[in-house]
Amino acid sequence: MKTIQGGTMYTKKTTKKKPAAKKTITKRKPAKNPAAPWKPKTRALMLRTCKADMTGHGGFKWPRSGYVEAPDWNPAAVCGGGLHGLLWGEGDAGYLSVAEGAVWMVVEVDAGEVVSIDGDKVKVPRGNVVFAGQRHEATAFLMADPG
């Protein structure tokens, strides 16, 4: 571009802007466990507790609600390899936490998948967290269920 200032001609360089690069949108793969609700064939409820940060024994992170699945499922009647709790709140209460801030949970499970461990507690491969809160609320939830 040429301009004249005070009788002198100057040439001004101009640069063209490059067109913006097209953004590539990558579709995400569907979640391993779809949002569609899981329904047990024969419904039962399991009571359990976890820390305030929703972690259980071994550091497993529980959801406050919805579907949950054991990443290490093992159907053997031994501790470990599943989601643990007390079926219908019955068993050894020593497995439940009374610590300040403990979260009491009620998990809907399939009775056909329940594995009893020494008659003290049970484990399951999956379930639906239907309640998470304080102890008195969780036990009231269990007692109100006609199950």
Side-chain angles (χ1 to χ4, degrees), residues 67-137:
Y67 183 76
V68 61
E69 187 172 344
D72 60 348
W73 174 242
N74 174 357
V78 296
C79 195
L83 307 174
H84 295 72
L86 304 182
L87 192 63
W88 296 108
E90 298 175 3
D92 185 347
Y95 290 112
L96 303 174
S97 174
V98 291
E100 184 74 27
V103 179
W104 286 66
M105 303 167 65
V106 178
V107 184
E108 178 184 55
V109 301
D110 188 328
E113 296 179 333
V114 171
V115 175
S116 179
I117 303 171
D118 297 328
D120 291 339
K121 65 179 178 176
V122 299
K123 69 178 181 178
V124 293
R126 71 188 125 255
N128 281 320
V129 177
V130 293
F131 176 83
Q134 296 181 351
R135 179 174 59 178
H136 69 280
E137 297 168 316

Coordinates of all heavy atoms in Angstrom, one line a residue, residues 67-137:
Y67 N -25.4 -46.3 39.8 CA -24.8 -47.6 39.6 C -23.3 -47.6 40.0 O -22.6 -46.6 39.9 CB -24.9 -47.8 38.1 CG -24.3 -49.2 37.7 CD1 -25.0 -50.4 37.9 CD2 -23.0 -49.3 37.1 CE1 -24.5 -51.6 37.5 CE2 -22.5 -50.5 36.7 CZ -23.2 -51.7 36.9 OH -22.7 -52.9 36.6
V68 N -23.0 -48.7 40.6 CA -21.6 -49.0 41.0 C -21.2 -50.4 40.7 O -22.1 -51.3 40.8 CB -21.4 -48.6 42.5 CG1 -22.3 -49.5 43.4 CG2 -19.9 -48.7 42.9
E69 N -20.0 -50.6 40.3 CA -19.5 -52.0 40.0 C -18.1 -52.2 40.5 O -17.3 -51.3 40.5 CB -19.5 -52.2 38.4 CG -19.2 -53.6 38.0 CD -19.4 -53.8 36.5 OE1 -20.0 -52.9 35.8 OE2 -18.9 -54.8 36.0
A70 N -17.9 -53.4 41.1 CA -16.6 -53.8 41.6 C -15.6 -54.0 40.5 O -15.9 -54.8 39.6 CB -16.7 -55.0 42.4
P71 N -14.5 -53.3 40.5 CA -13.5 -53.5 39.4 C -12.7 -54.8 39.5 O -12.1 -55.2 38.6 CB -12.6 -52.3 39.6 CG -12.7 -51.9 41.0 CD -14.1 -52.2 41.4
D72 N -12.8 -55.4 40.7 CA -12.0 -56.6 41.0 C -12.9 -57.8 41.4 O -12.5 -58.6 42.2 CB -11.0 -56.3 42.1 CG -11.8 -55.8 43.4 OD1 -13.0 -55.6 43.4 OD2 -11.1 -55.7 44.5
W73 N -14.1 -57.9 40.9 CA -15.0 -58.9 41.3 C -14.4 -60.3 41.3 O -13.8 -60.8 40.3 CB -16.3 -58.9 40.4 CG -17.2 -60.0 40.7 CD1 -17.6 -61.0 39.9 CD2 -17.9 -60.3 42.0 NE1 -18.5 -61.9 40.5 CE2 -18.7 -61.5 41.8 CE3 -17.9 -59.7 43.2 CZ2 -19.4 -62.0 42.8 CZ3 -18.7 -60.2 44.2 CH2 -19.4 -61.4 44.0
N74 N -14.6 -61.0 42.4 CA -14.2 -62.4 42.6 C -15.3 -63.1 43.3 O -15.6 -62.7 44.5 CB -12.9 -62.5 43.4 CG -12.5 -63.9 43.7 OD1 -13.2 -64.9 43.4 ND2 -11.3 -64.0 44.3
P75 N -16.0 -64.1 42.7 CA -17.2 -64.7 43.4 C -16.8 -65.6 44.6 O -17.7 -66.1 45.2 CB -17.8 -65.5 42.3 CG -16.7 -65.8 41.3 CD -15.8 -64.6 41.4
A76 N -15.6 -65.9 44.9 CA -15.2 -66.7 46.0 C -15.6 -66.1 47.3 O -15.6 -64.9 47.5 CB -13.7 -66.9 46.0
A77 N -16.0 -66.9 48.3 CA -16.6 -66.5 49.6 C -15.4 -66.1 50.5 O -15.3 -66.6 51.6 CB -17.4 -67.5 50.2
V78 N -14.6 -65.1 50.0 CA -13.5 -64.6 50.8 C -13.5 -63.1 50.8 O -14.1 -62.5 49.8 CB -12.1 -65.1 50.3 CG1 -12.0 -66.6 50.4 CG2 -11.9 -64.7 48.8
C79 N -12.9 -62.4 51.7 CA -12.9 -61.0 51.8 C -12.1 -60.5 50.6 O -11.1 -61.0 50.2 CB -12.3 -60.5 53.1 SG -12.6 -58.8 53.4
G80 N -12.5 -59.4 50.0 CA -11.9 -58.8 48.9 C -12.6 -59.2 47.6 O -13.4 -60.2 47.6
G81 N -12.4 -58.5 46.5 CA -12.9 -58.8 45.2 C -14.4 -58.6 45.1 O -15.2 -59.5 44.7
G82 N -14.9 -57.4 45.6 CA -16.3 -57.1 45.4 C -16.7 -55.9 46.3 O -15.9 -55.2 46.9
L83 N -18.0 -55.6 46.3 CA -18.6 -54.5 47.0 C -19.1 -55.1 48.3 O -20.0 -56.0 48.2 CB -19.7 -53.8 46.2 CG -19.3 -53.3 44.8 CD1 -20.5 -52.8 44.1 CD2 -18.2 -52.3 44.9
H84 N -18.6 -54.7 49.5 CA -19.0 -55.3 50.7 C -20.0 -54.5 51.6 O -20.0 -53.3 51.5 CB -17.7 -55.5 51.6 CG -16.8 -56.5 50.9 ND1 -16.0 -56.2 49.8 CD2 -16.4 -57.7 51.3 CE1 -15.2 -57.2 49.5 NE2 -15.5 -58.2 50.4
G85 N -20.8 -55.2 52.4 CA -21.7 -54.6 53.2 C -22.5 -55.6 54.0 O -22.1 -56.8 54.1
L86 N -23.6 -55.2 54.7 CA -24.4 -56.1 55.5 C -25.8 -56.2 54.8 O -26.5 -55.2 54.6 CB -24.6 -55.5 56.9 CG -23.3 -55.2 57.7 CD1 -23.6 -54.7 59.1 CD2 -22.4 -56.5 57.7
L87 N -26.1 -57.4 54.4 CA -27.4 -57.6 53.7 C -28.6 -57.3 54.7 O -28.6 -57.8 55.8 CB -27.5 -59.1 53.2 CG -28.6 -59.4 52.2 CD1 -28.5 -58.5 51.0 CD2 -28.6 -60.8 51.9
W88 N -29.4 -56.4 54.2 CA -30.6 -55.9 55.1 C -30.1 -55.4 56.4 O -30.8 -55.3 57.4 CB -31.6 -57.0 55.3 CG -32.3 -57.4 54.0 CD1 -32.1 -58.6 53.3 CD2 -33.2 -56.6 53.2 NE1 -32.8 -58.6 52.1 CE2 -33.5 -57.4 52.0 CE3 -33.7 -55.3 53.3 CZ2 -34.3 -56.9 51.0 CZ3 -34.6 -54.9 52.3 CH2 -34.9 -55.6 51.2
G89 N -28.8 -55.0 56.5 CA -28.3 -54.4 57.7 C -27.9 -55.4 58.8 O -27.6 -55.0 59.9
E90 N -28.0 -56.7 58.4 CA -27.7 -57.7 59.4 C -26.3 -58.3 59.2 O -25.9 -58.5 58.1 CB -28.8 -58.8 59.2 CG -30.2 -58.4 59.5 CD -31.2 -59.4 59.2 OE1 -30.9 -60.6 58.9 OE2 -32.4 -59.1 59.3
G91 N -25.7 -58.5 60.4 CA -24.3 -59.1 60.3 C -23.5 -58.4 61.4 O -24.0 -57.8 62.4
D92 N -22.2 -58.4 61.2 CA -21.2 -57.9 62.2 C -21.1 -56.4 62.0 O -20.5 -55.9 61.1 CB -19.9 -58.5 62.0 CG -18.9 -58.1 63.1 OD1 -19.1 -57.1 63.8 OD2 -17.8 -58.8 63.1
A93 N -21.7 -55.6 63.0 CA -21.7 -54.2 62.9 C -20.3 -53.6 63.0 O -20.1 -52.4 62.7 CB -22.6 -53.6 64.0
G94 N -19.3 -54.4 63.4 CA -17.9 -53.9 63.4 C -17.4 -53.5 62.1 O -16.4 -52.9 62.0
Y95 N -18.1 -54.0 61.0 CA -17.7 -53.6 59.6 C -18.2 -52.2 59.3 O -17.8 -51.7 58.2 CB -18.2 -54.6 58.6 CG -17.4 -55.9 58.7 CD1 -18.1 -57.1 59.1 CD2 -16.1 -56.0 58.4 CE1 -17.5 -58.3 59.2 CE2 -15.4 -57.3 58.5 CZ -16.1 -58.4 58.9 OH -15.5 -59.6 59.0
L96 N -19.0 -51.6 60.1 CA -19.6 -50.3 59.8 C -18.8 -49.2 60.6 O -18.4 -49.5 61.8 CB -21.1 -50.3 60.1 CG -21.9 -51.3 59.4 CD1 -23.3 -51.3 59.9 CD2 -21.9 -51.0 57.9
S97 N -18.7 -48.1 60.1 CA -18.0 -47.0 60.8 C -18.9 -46.1 61.5 O -19.9 -45.6 61.0 CB -17.2 -46.2 59.8 OG -16.6 -45.1 60.4
V98 N -18.5 -45.7 62.8 CA -19.3 -44.8 63.5 C -18.5 -43.5 63.7 O -18.8 -42.6 64.5 CB -19.7 -45.3 64.9 CG1 -20.7 -46.4 64.8 CG2 -18.5 -45.8 65.7
A99 N -17.4 -43.4 62.9 CA -16.5 -42.2 62.9 C -17.3 -40.9 62.5 O -18.3 -41.0 61.7 CB -15.3 -42.4 62.0
E100 N -16.9 -39.8 63.0 CA -17.4 -38.5 62.6 C -17.3 -38.3 61.1 O -16.2 -38.5 60.6 CB -16.7 -37.4 63.4 CG -17.2 -36.0 63.1 CD -18.5 -35.7 63.9 OE1 -18.8 -36.4 64.9 OE2 -19.3 -34.9 63.4
G101 N -18.4 -38.0 60.5 CA -18.3 -37.8 59.0 C -18.5 -39.0 58.2 O -18.5 -38.9 56.9
A102 N -18.6 -40.2 58.8 CA -18.8 -41.4 58.0 C -20.1 -41.3 57.2 O -21.1 -40.7 57.7 CB -18.9 -42.6 58.9
V103 N -20.1 -41.8 56.0 CA -21.3 -41.8 55.1 C -21.9 -43.2 55.2 O -21.3 -44.2 54.9 CB -21.0 -41.4 53.7 CG1 -22.2 -41.4 52.8 CG2 -20.3 -40.0 53.6
W104 N -23.2 -43.2 55.6 CA -23.9 -44.5 55.6 C -24.7 -44.6 54.3 O -25.4 -43.7 53.9 CB -24.9 -44.5 56.9 CG -24.1 -44.7 58.1 CD1 -23.2 -43.8 58.7 CD2 -24.2 -45.8 59.0 NE1 -22.7 -44.3 59.8 CE2 -23.3 -45.6 60.1 CE3 -24.9 -47.0 59.0 CZ2 -23.1 -46.5 61.1 CZ3 -24.7 -47.9 60.0 CH2 -23.8 -47.6 61.1
M105 N -24.5 -45.8 53.7 CA -25.1 -46.0 52.4 C -26.0 -47.2 52.4 O -25.8 -48.2 53.1 CB -24.0 -46.3 51.4 CG -23.0 -45.1 51.3 SD -21.5 -45.6 50.4 CE -22.1 -45.8 48.8
V106 N -27.1 -47.1 51.6 CA -27.9 -48.3 51.3 C -27.8 -48.5 49.8 O -27.9 -47.6 49.0 CB -29.4 -48.0 51.6 CG1 -30.3 -49.2 51.3 CG2 -29.6 -47.6 53.1
V107 N -27.4 -49.8 49.5 CA -27.1 -50.2 48.1 C -28.1 -51.2 47.7 O -28.3 -52.3 48.4 CB -25.7 -50.7 48.0 CG1 -25.4 -51.0 46.5 CG2 -24.7 -49.7 48.5
E108 N -28.8 -51.0 46.6 CA -29.8 -52.0 46.1 C -28.9 -53.0 45.3 O -28.1 -52.6 44.4 CB -30.7 -51.3 45.1 CG -31.7 -52.1 44.4 CD -32.6 -51.3 43.5 OE1 -32.0 -50.7 42.6 OE2 -33.8 -51.4 43.6
V109 N -29.1 -54.3 45.6 CA -28.3 -55.3 45.0 C -29.2 -56.5 44.5 O -30.4 -56.5 44.8 CB -27.3 -55.9 46.0 CG1 -26.3 -54.8 46.4 CG2 -27.9 -56.6 47.2
D110 N -28.7 -57.3 43.7 CA -29.4 -58.5 43.2 C -29.2 -59.6 44.2 O -28.0 -60.1 44.4 CB -28.9 -58.9 41.8 CG -29.8 -60.0 41.2 OD1 -30.3 -60.9 41.9 OD2 -29.9 -60.0 39.9
A111 N -30.2 -60.1 44.9 CA -30.1 -61.2 45.9 C -29.4 -62.4 45.3 O -28.7 -63.1 46.0 CB -31.4 -61.5 46.5
G112 N -29.6 -62.7 44.0 CA -29.0 -63.9 43.4 C -27.5 -63.7 43.2 O -26.8 -64.7 42.9
E113 N -26.9 -62.5 43.3 CA -25.5 -62.3 43.2 C -24.8 -62.2 44.5 O -23.6 -62.0 44.6 CB -25.2 -61.1 42.4 CG -25.7 -61.2 40.9 CD -25.5 -59.9 40.1 OE1 -25.4 -58.8 40.7 OE2 -25.4 -60.1 38.9
V114 N -25.5 -62.2 45.6 CA -24.9 -62.0 47.0 C -24.1 -63.2 47.4 O -24.5 -64.4 47.2 CB -26.0 -61.8 48.0 CG1 -25.5 -61.8 49.4 CG2 -26.8 -60.5 47.7
V115 N -22.9 -62.9 47.8 CA -22.0 -64.0 48.3 C -21.7 -63.7 49.8 O -21.3 -62.6 50.2 CB -20.6 -64.0 47.6 CG1 -19.6 -65.0 48.2 CG2 -20.8 -64.2 46.1
S116 N -22.1 -64.6 50.7 CA -21.9 -64.5 52.1 C -20.5 -64.8 52.5 O -19.9 -65.8 52.0 CB -22.9 -65.4 52.9 OG -22.7 -65.3 54.2
I117 N -19.9 -64.0 53.4 CA -18.6 -64.2 53.9 C -18.7 -64.5 55.4 O -18.9 -63.6 56.1 CB -17.7 -63.0 53.6 CG1 -17.7 -62.7 52.1 CG2 -16.3 -63.3 54.1 CD1 -17.0 -61.4 51.7
D118 N -18.5 -65.7 55.7 CA -18.5 -66.2 57.1 C -19.7 -65.7 57.9 O -19.7 -65.6 59.1 CB -17.2 -65.6 57.9 CG -15.9 -66.1 57.3 OD1 -16.0 -67.3 56.8 OD2 -14.9 -65.4 57.3
G119 N -20.8 -65.5 57.2 CA -22.1 -65.1 57.9 C -22.0 -63.7 58.5 O -23.0 -63.3 59.1
D120 N -20.9 -63.0 58.4 CA -20.7 -61.7 59.0 C -21.1 -60.6 58.1 O -21.5 -59.5 58.5 CB -19.3 -61.5 59.5 CG -18.9 -62.4 60.7 OD1 -19.8 -62.8 61.4 OD2 -17.7 -62.6 60.9
K121 N -20.8 -60.7 56.8 CA -21.0 -59.7 55.8 C -21.2 -60.4 54.5 O -21.0 -61.6 54.4 CB -19.8 -58.7 55.8 CG -18.5 -59.3 55.3 CD -17.4 -58.3 55.3 CE -16.1 -58.9 54.9 NZ -15.0 -57.8 54.7
V122 N -21.5 -59.6 53.5 CA -21.7 -60.1 52.1 C -20.9 -59.2 51.1 O -20.4 -58.1 51.5 CB -23.2 -60.1 51.7 CG1 -24.0 -61.0 52.7 CG2 -23.8 -58.7 51.7
K123 N -20.8 -59.8 49.9 CA -20.2 -59.0 48.8 C -21.0 -59.2 47.6 O -21.7 -60.3 47.4 CB -18.7 -59.3 48.6 CG -18.4 -60.7 48.1 CD -16.9 -60.8 47.9 CE -16.5 -62.1 47.3 NZ -15.1 -62.2 47.1
V124 N -21.0 -58.3 46.7 CA -21.7 -58.3 45.4 C -20.9 -57.7 44.3 O -20.0 -57.0 44.6 CB -23.1 -57.6 45.5 CG1 -24.0 -58.3 46.5 CG2 -22.9 -56.1 45.9
P125 N -21.1 -58.1 43.0 CA -20.4 -57.5 42.0 C -20.8 -56.1 41.6 O -20.0 -55.3 41.0 CB -20.6 -58.5 40.8 CG -21.9 -59.1 41.1 CD -22.0 -59.2 42.6
R126 N -22.1 -55.8 41.8 CA -22.6 -54.5 41.4 C -23.8 -54.1 42.2 O -24.4 -54.9 42.9 CB -22.9 -54.6 39.9 CG -24.1 -55.4 39.6 CD -24.4 -55.6 38.1 NE -24.4 -57.1 37.9 CZ -23.5 -57.8 37.3 NH1 -22.4 -57.2 36.9 NH2 -23.6 -59.1 37.2
G127 N -24.3 -52.9 42.0 CA -25.5 -52.4 42.7 C -25.8 -51.0 42.3 O -25.1 -50.4 41.5
N128 N -26.9 -50.5 43.0 CA -27.3 -49.1 42.8 C -27.3 -48.5 44.2 O -28.0 -48.9 45.1 CB -28.7 -49.0 42.3 CG -28.8 -49.2 40.8 OD1 -28.0 -48.8 40.1 ND2 -29.8 -49.9 40.4
V129 N -26.5 -47.4 44.4 CA -26.6 -46.7 45.6 C -27.9 -45.9 45.6 O -28.1 -45.0 44.8 CB -25.3 -45.7 45.8 CG1 -25.5 -44.9 47.0 CG2 -24.0 -46.5 45.7
V130 N -28.7 -46.2 46.6 CA -30.1 -45.6 46.6 C -30.2 -44.6 47.8 O -31.1 -43.8 47.8 CB -31.2 -46.6 46.7 CG1 -31.3 -47.4 45.4 CG2 -31.0 -47.6 47.9
F131 N -29.2 -44.6 48.7 CA -29.2 -43.6 49.8 C -27.7 -43.5 50.3 O -27.0 -44.4 50.4 CB -30.0 -44.1 51.0 CG -29.9 -43.1 52.1 CD1 -30.7 -42.0 52.2 CD2 -29.0 -43.4 53.1 CE1 -30.6 -41.1 53.2 CE2 -28.9 -42.5 54.2 CZ -29.7 -41.3 54.2
A132 N -27.4 -42.2 50.6 CA -26.1 -41.9 51.2 C -26.3 -40.8 52.2 O -26.8 -39.7 51.7 CB -25.0 -41.6 50.2
G133 N -26.0 -41.0 53.4 CA -26.2 -39.9 54.4 C -25.8 -40.3 55.8 O -24.8 -41.0 56.0
Q134 N -26.6 -39.9 56.8 CA -26.3 -40.2 58.2 C -26.9 -41.6 58.6 O -27.8 -42.1 58.0 CB -26.8 -39.1 59.1 CG -26.1 -37.8 58.8 CD -26.6 -36.7 59.7 OE1 -27.6 -36.8 60.4 NE2 -25.9 -35.5 59.7
R135 N -26.3 -42.1 59.7 CA -26.7 -43.4 60.2 C -28.2 -43.5 60.4 O -28.8 -44.5 60.0 CB -25.9 -43.7 61.5 CG -26.3 -45.1 62.0 CD -25.4 -45.5 63.2 NE -25.5 -44.6 64.3 CZ -24.9 -44.7 65.4 NH1 -24.1 -45.7 65.6 NH2 -25.0 -43.8 66.4
H136 N -28.8 -42.6 61.2 CA -30.2 -42.8 61.5 C -31.1 -42.7 60.3 O -32.1 -43.4 60.2 CB -30.6 -41.7 62.6 CG -30.6 -40.3 62.0 ND1 -29.5 -39.5 61.9 CD2 -31.7 -39.5 61.6 CE1 -29.8 -38.3 61.4 NE2 -31.1 -38.3 61.2
E137 N -30.7 -42.0 59.3 CA -31.4 -41.9 58.0 C -31.3 -43.2 57.2 O -32.3 -43.7 56.7 CB -31.0 -40.7 57.2 CG -31.2 -39.4 57.8 CD -30.4 -38.3 57.0 OE1 -29.2 -38.5 56.7 OE2 -31.0 -37.2 56.8

